[in-house]
Amino acid sequence: MNNPVTRHTLSVLVENTPGVLSQVSRLFSRKGYNIESLAVGTTDDPEVSRITIEVTCDNLMIEQIINQLRKLFCVYSVRLLPPASSIRRELVLIKVKAEGRDVRNEVIQIANIFRANIVDVGKTSLTIEITGSEDKLKGIEDLLRAYGIKEIIRTGLIAMSRG
């Protein structure tokens, strides 16, 4: 029986104390799992942090990961967030070459179409801030490649269940 390898998103509530992220990431490295995306931040309770982890593995492996995470004392809960029933976003900063008025205007038009913000203007570049789904971010990145991307920085995926 084939068990397909797919991307899985986990929402892990943990103690907001030093060393917790290290414990969680060590679990992944010990088991040989690669973390594709990682985002951490406090919740409405300052003593609790949420770690959003995206990992590519099969269904058996994700069950093992969930069970191992639940064994850690610093972990309060672990939830698997299926794409269909969750809201998924990422923030990206893209620095694009923009020499000349025409090129600048074209880049600004692309940013406007994608509802992105121009957050910095340099003599030869524009920096764009955009938040959205993976498809939206890939779309703007593909269009901006034609102008020359100088630098790109991603926050990592954040996700929460719908409703």
Side-chain angles (χ1 to χ4, degrees), residues 39-126:
V40 184
T42 56
T43 64
D44 54 323
D45 180 348
E47 295 183 9
V48 178
S49 287
R50 179 182 315 276
I51 304 175
T52 306
I53 304 168
E54 190 170 56
V55 61
T56 301
C57 62
D58 63 31
N59 291 337
L60 179 62
M61 292 166 87
I62 198 65
E63 288 303 320
Q64 290 174 343
I65 291 170
I66 290 168
N67 290 334
Q68 292 296 316
L69 284 168
R70 287 182 174 148
K71 289 179 184 178
L72 296 176
F73 289 110
C74 59
V75 172
Y76 296 130
S77 70
V78 181
R79 293 182 62 198
L80 186 60
L81 298 174
S85 60
S86 60
I87 301 164
R88 308 156 68 79
R89 296 291 183 266
E90 186 173 8
L91 169 69
V92 178
L93 293 175
I94 305 170
K95 188 182 294 183
V96 183
K97 289 182 187 174
E99 297 175 9
R101 183 183 303 180
D102 291 343
V103 172
R104 277 183 193 277
N105 288 337
E106 288 176 26
V107 170
I108 290 169
Q109 284 180 341
I110 291 170
N112 289 337
I113 290 168
F114 282 87
R115 294 190 179 120
N117 298 312
I118 306 294
V119 294
D120 187 58
V121 178
K123 289 182 180 180
T124 60
S125 67
L126 293 172

Side-chain angles (χ1 to χ4, degrees), residues 145-159:
R145 284 210 182 280
Y147 298 93
I149 293 177
K150 291 179 138 186
E151 192 173 359
I152 188 165
I153 300 170
R154 306 177 85 95
T155 60
L157 178 76
I158 57 170

